[in-house]
Amino acid sequence: MGIDEIIEYLRTLPEDAIVKVSVMDKASMARDSIVIDGVVDGGVWCREDIGTLIEDNGRNPTPENIDKVLAAVPGGLGSFSDRLTQEGWDILHDIYDGAIDALR
């Protein structure tokens, strides 16, 4: 995605939207490296992912349908973020609790 496309997309966001930006060069992206110190995983979910969910359910993933699905969730993206955080903690415990126990 080019800078012009990003700027155009940003213009479509509501005025109260909060945007987080991570900038990296193509070499970093090709290595799938982590560019932010202290970050274990920097996975990002986007509108296209909602479009994929819509398509997987046999519907047309138009921008309008993506907007409708996002707007239909009580709490909006905050609910998604809260749940993603909780699920992330659960996964971290599942993966690393055994390694922490081995430290004793």
Side-chain angles (χ1 to χ4, degrees), residues 36-94:
I36 301 171
D37 287 339
V39 173
V40 175
D41 185 310
V44 176
W45 294 86
C46 62
R47 290 175 56 87
E48 290 175 1
D49 297 318
I50 302 299
T52 299
L53 290 174
I54 293 169
E55 193 170 36
D56 288 349
N57 282 279
R59 303 295 174 98
N60 189 0
T62 64
E64 295 80 16
N65 283 345
I66 292 170
D67 290 340
K68 287 177 186 176
V69 168
L70 288 171
V73 176
L77 293 175
S79 294
F80 178 77
S81 180
D82 292 345
R83 183 160 177 202
L84 188 59
T85 299
Q86 183 56 52
E87 294 290 332
W89 278 111
D90 293 344
I91 292 168
L92 282 173
H93 281 291
D94 288 347

Side-chain angles (χ1 to χ4, degrees), residues 5-44:
E5 293 170 306
I6 293 168
I7 291 171
E8 192 59 37
Y9 170 72
L10 291 173
R11 287 187 178 129
T12 68
L13 297 176
E15 289 183 17
D16 63 344
I18 297 172
V19 177
K20 295 179 183 179
V21 177
S22 177
V23 178
M24 63 184 78
D25 61 17
K26 288 183 180 179
S28 295
M29 288 191 66
R31 291 189 310 269
D32 194 29
S33 65
I34 298 167
V35 296
I36 301 171
D37 287 339
V39 173
V40 175
D41 185 310
V44 176

